[in-house]
Amino acid sequence: MTKVSVIIPCFNAEDFVADAIDSALGQTIADVEVVVVDDASTDGSRAIISAKADQDSRVVPVFLERNVGPAAARNVAWTRLTGTWVTLLDADDLYLPDRLERLISFAEAQNADVVADNLSIRHFGDDTHLGAAFPHVAHGEIIQVDRAFFFKNLWNGPQKYGMGILKPMFRAKFIRENSISYDERYRIGEDMLFYMNSILSNAKYYIIGDCFYIYRKRADSISNVGDHVFTTLASMCEEVLLNDKRLTIEDREYLTKRGRGLLEYFHWRQLRSLRRRGDKLGFISYVIKRPSTLFYMVKMSLTWRMKRG
């Protein structure tokens, strides 16, 4: 089988990084290297990673002396890895045992550049499958991702996951030939930009609807850091719109709409917070400055009531 490199960025993950490493090592294919980049953890993560590397030569430990964030940690991993295929595993997540075998078999049969599976959502510490993270590709379904699909599903609205939640496997040669890397200015949303750059570089990209990746939800995860995630993602969309000449007119329309949707949702959350705190003056002031937010709030309320029946 072709060699696969698994990147595991780690920061203060002593409670679960060993399980992630074991999950990557325990695959049904043996030709795997696990590049674990510790981003200057202050807990016992380094000792755990070192012990795993001593036990299995397939573990490649990288210890950073200062905290640089997940994007930079991923870029460092790309300078160390040697696999033909490369995929990601967050330090608090897991793989099903045959994930890599399934993905690489499909990718090589289709001559793909990128292939992603769906993610099984579970609460941390509970093995119950709560649902698939990306509902736009059903179990057993396979789709080829074009630009329209990618940008339409960049963000799918409140309490829904978009393209950035996926953890694809990439052909290393494609990524290197197109000089794709993570934008180190961002500590959240960096995956979305990386994937976007891949699709704008005309990657042959597939999504398999089956869930081979276990996404474990934690309240303190970096992807649950608060409302500023929405403004950050909207800023990313705006920057791509301003600077990326590869965008078509259709791409721009979709990306503009997604950016506006993210900002609308952010302002709705601010307005909702003011209402819940009973800050009438703040609520009125916010509505005067952004009257469209009140209309968005009414629309959201009606939508949720209809869903509840």
Side-chain angles (χ1 to χ4, degrees), residues 26-284:
Q27 293 293 294
T28 52
I29 60 172
D31 201 1
V32 176
E33 70 173 355
V34 184
V35 183
V36 190
V37 183
D38 183 81
D39 196 11
S41 291
T42 57
D43 64 356
S45 296
R46 290 195 172 202
I48 294 168
I49 296 166
S50 293
K52 289 294 181 183
D54 289 342
Q55 294 166 10
D56 195 316
S57 62
R58 294 177 296 167
V59 178
V60 180
V62 181
F63 299 119
L64 304 181
E65 295 306 315
R66 63 182 182 87
N67 182 265
V68 295
R74 285 159 164 75
N75 284 337
V76 170
W78 271 92
T79 67
R80 305 293 181 89
L81 60 84
T82 61
T84 302
W85 292 94
V86 183
T87 189
L88 298 165
L89 175 59
D90 287 344
D92 52 354
D93 292 339
L94 302 170
Y95 289 164
L96 292 185
D98 60 347
R99 180 182 192 250
L100 298 185
E101 183 176 3
R102 294 281 201 97
L103 292 183
I104 198 170
S105 177
F106 177 85
E108 295 195 334
Q110 298 297 324
N111 194 31
D113 299 309
V114 185
V115 59
D117 51 341
N118 217 325
L119 296 82
S120 172
I121 303 174
R122 308 181 187 188
H123 287 304
F124 196 87
D126 185 347
D127 202 37
T128 304
H129 172 71
L130 302 176
F134 194 74
H136 304 283
V137 185
H139 178 79
E141 184 182 8
I142 297 170
I143 67 162
Q144 185 168 356
V145 178
D146 58 15
R147 289 186 176 202
F149 182 92
F150 184 91
F151 286 113
K152 280 180 183 178
N153 293 288
L154 200 61
W155 184 68
N156 289 308
Q159 300 178 346
K160 297 177 182 177
Y161 295 108
M163 294 294 295
I165 193 67
L166 299 174
K167 301 294 181 185
M169 187 174 71
F170 300 91
R171 188 184 295 275
K173 182 180 179 181
F174 173 83
I175 297 300
R176 288 175 170 139
E177 285 181 346
N178 287 281
S179 302
I180 299 171
S181 63
Y182 290 91
D183 192 326
E184 298 182 7
R185 294 173 299 165
Y186 297 107
R187 286 181 175 252
I188 195 162
E190 70 284 341
D191 286 330
M192 184 188 79
L193 275 181
F194 192 93
Y195 306 163
M196 192 186 301
N197 206 351
S198 298
I199 204 72
L200 289 173
S201 298
N202 299 315
K204 191 176 181 183
Y205 189 152
Y206 292 89
I207 300 177
I208 300 171
D210 297 350
C211 300
F212 307 135
Y213 187 107
I214 299 173
Y215 174 67
R216 302 198 289 180
K217 298 181 71 174
R218 291 188 300 116
D220 59 342
S221 170
I222 192 169
S223 58
N224 295 313
V225 293
D227 288 353
H228 79 269
V229 63
F230 303 108
T231 55
T232 299
L233 294 175
S235 295
M236 288 178 175
C237 292
E238 182 63 25
E239 183 169 342
V240 173
L241 282 165
L242 288 172
N243 298 318
D244 202 314
K245 306 303 182 185
R246 296 171 296 178
L247 293 170
T248 65
I249 293 175
E250 188 179 39
D251 295 340
R252 290 182 176 280
E253 289 175 353
Y254 288 133
L255 194 54
T256 299
K257 187 175 181 179
R258 295 300 170 263
R260 287 174 180 168
L262 286 160
L263 285 178
E264 283 180 345
Y265 186 58
F266 166 78
H267 289 296
W268 170 77
R269 288 173 67 95
Q270 303 308 299
L271 197 60
R272 183 186 64 172
S273 178
L274 290 168
R275 186 183 66 179
R276 288 179 171 177
R277 295 202 307 265
D279 186 349
K280 295 181 180 178
L281 184 61
F283 185 92
I284 293 170

